[in-house]
């Protein structure tokens, strides 16, 4: 009979449930190691592109993660052309790594989904979508702050706000341990149900 060691459930179904509980909790806990995740896409020249994003919401029953972005950003264009993506996270406290593969759904500004997500944002967060496109050069004096744009009306950012829904099709789960690291691969069907799971050589 399998037993739990170092706080790690050895049953694959339990591992799946535990991983998604971690992600759901991270969406509302700024201190969680999984609050910031690495979203990886592929650009027009088939080069991998990675960036840190804030996990805004997670749903274990539907196997999705929610992220927000500026629609003028390169990742919006990349995911519009190729929705296949990977999400990577590591929590140093639990020594857990999650590597998820899936498809991203894009919900543009003005859609019901984007409007609902926008309404949940703080005023400060809304203002981060104002100004020029991400990656544009700006004038900035590092000594006295001269050249910084004046505070903008938050409403100016709404036309640029996009919602990304990442639907996981697989989770590569890895537990870093003092001895005997553990790794498992979990796959999901189109409804989000756990379709298969197996142990892997770390």
């Amino acid at each position: 009979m399998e037993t739990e060691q170092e706080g790690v459930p050895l049953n694959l179904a339990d591992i799946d449930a535990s991983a998604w509980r971690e992600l759901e909790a991270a969406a509302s806990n700024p201190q969680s190691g999984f609050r910031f995740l690495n979203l990886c896409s592929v650009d027009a020249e088939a080069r991998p592109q990675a960036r840190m994003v804030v996990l805004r919401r997670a749903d274990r029953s539907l196997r999705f993660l929610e992220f927000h972005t500026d629609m003028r950003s390169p990742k919006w264009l990349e995911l519009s052309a190729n929705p296949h993506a990977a999400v990577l996270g590591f929590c140093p406290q639990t020594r857990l790594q999650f590597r998820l593969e899936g498809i991203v759904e894009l919900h543009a500004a003005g859609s019901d989904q984007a409007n609902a997500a926008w309404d949940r944002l703080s005023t400060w967060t809304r203002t981060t979508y104002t100004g020029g496109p991400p990656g544009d050069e700006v004038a900035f004096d590092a000594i006295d702050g001269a050249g910084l744009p004046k505070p903008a009306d938050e409403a100016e950012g709404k036309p640029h706000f996009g919602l990304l829904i990442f639907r996981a099709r697989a989770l590569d789960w890895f537990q870093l341990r003092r001895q005997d690291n553990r790794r498992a691969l979990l796959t999901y069907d189109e409804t989000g149900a756990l379709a298969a799971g197996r142990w892997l050589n770390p």
Side-chain angles (χ1 to χ4, degrees):
M1 179 178 178
E2 291 181 324
T3 59
E4 188 172 306
Q5 301 178 25
E6 293 192 12
V8 180
L10 297 187
N11 178 282
L12 289 171
D14 289 343
I15 283 176
D16 175 60
S18 176
W20 283 92
R21 280 196 302 270
E22 290 268 6
L23 290 169
E24 287 182 328
S28 59
N29 179 10
Q31 305 307 314
S32 170
F34 293 111
R35 175 68 167 178
F36 296 93
L37 299 172
N38 197 323
L39 175 63
C40 308
S41 57
V42 177
D43 68 16
E45 298 180 11
R47 297 175 302 190
Q49 301 293 333
R51 77 285 291 166
M52 301 303 292
V53 292
V54 180
L55 176 60
R56 297 294 183 176
R57 199 156 59 102
D59 187 307
R60 73 178 105 174
S61 62
L62 298 176
R63 309 295 182 182
F64 78 69
L65 306 176
E66 177 181 310
F67 306 108
H68 301 163
T69 189
D70 192 309
M71 291 172 55
R72 300 167 295 174
S73 68
K75 64 176 169 291
W76 182 270
L77 297 176
E78 291 160 7
L79 292 167
S80 295
N82 182 354
H84 294 271
V87 172
L88 176 66
F90 178 76
C91 178
Q93 291 80 21
T94 60
R95 295 182 293 172
L96 282 171
Q97 175 183 277
F98 298 160
R99 187 163 63 93
L100 300 106
E101 296 180 8
I103 301 291
V104 174
E105 298 174 3
L106 294 87
H107 299 278
S111 66
D112 291 342
Q113 296 92 333
N115 285 341
W118 177 265
D119 290 342
R120 293 192 294 266
L121 296 180
S122 67
T123 298
W124 181 88
T125 302
R126 291 175 183 175
T127 62
T128 64
Y129 294 93
T130 62
D136 268 15
E137 185 175 355
V138 297
F140 179 71
D141 187 322
I143 297 176
D144 61 11
L148 282 175
K150 295 179 180 179
D153 182 345
E154 63 182 80
E156 295 177 14
K158 190 172 183 179
H160 310 308
F161 176 75
L163 176 68
L164 303 177
I165 298 294
F166 171 87
R167 296 195 180 275
R169 298 305 301 271
L171 167 60
D172 191 327
W173 176 95
F174 179 79
Q175 170 75 71
L176 182 64
R177 297 152 58 98
R178 288 187 290 274
Q179 295 181 353
D180 189 23
N181 296 333
R182 296 294 173 91
R183 183 182 177 191
L185 180 63
L186 308 168
T187 57
Y188 309 108
D189 65 21
E190 293 182 357
T191 70
L194 180 61
R198 64 181 186 272
W199 294 104
L200 300 178
N201 184 352

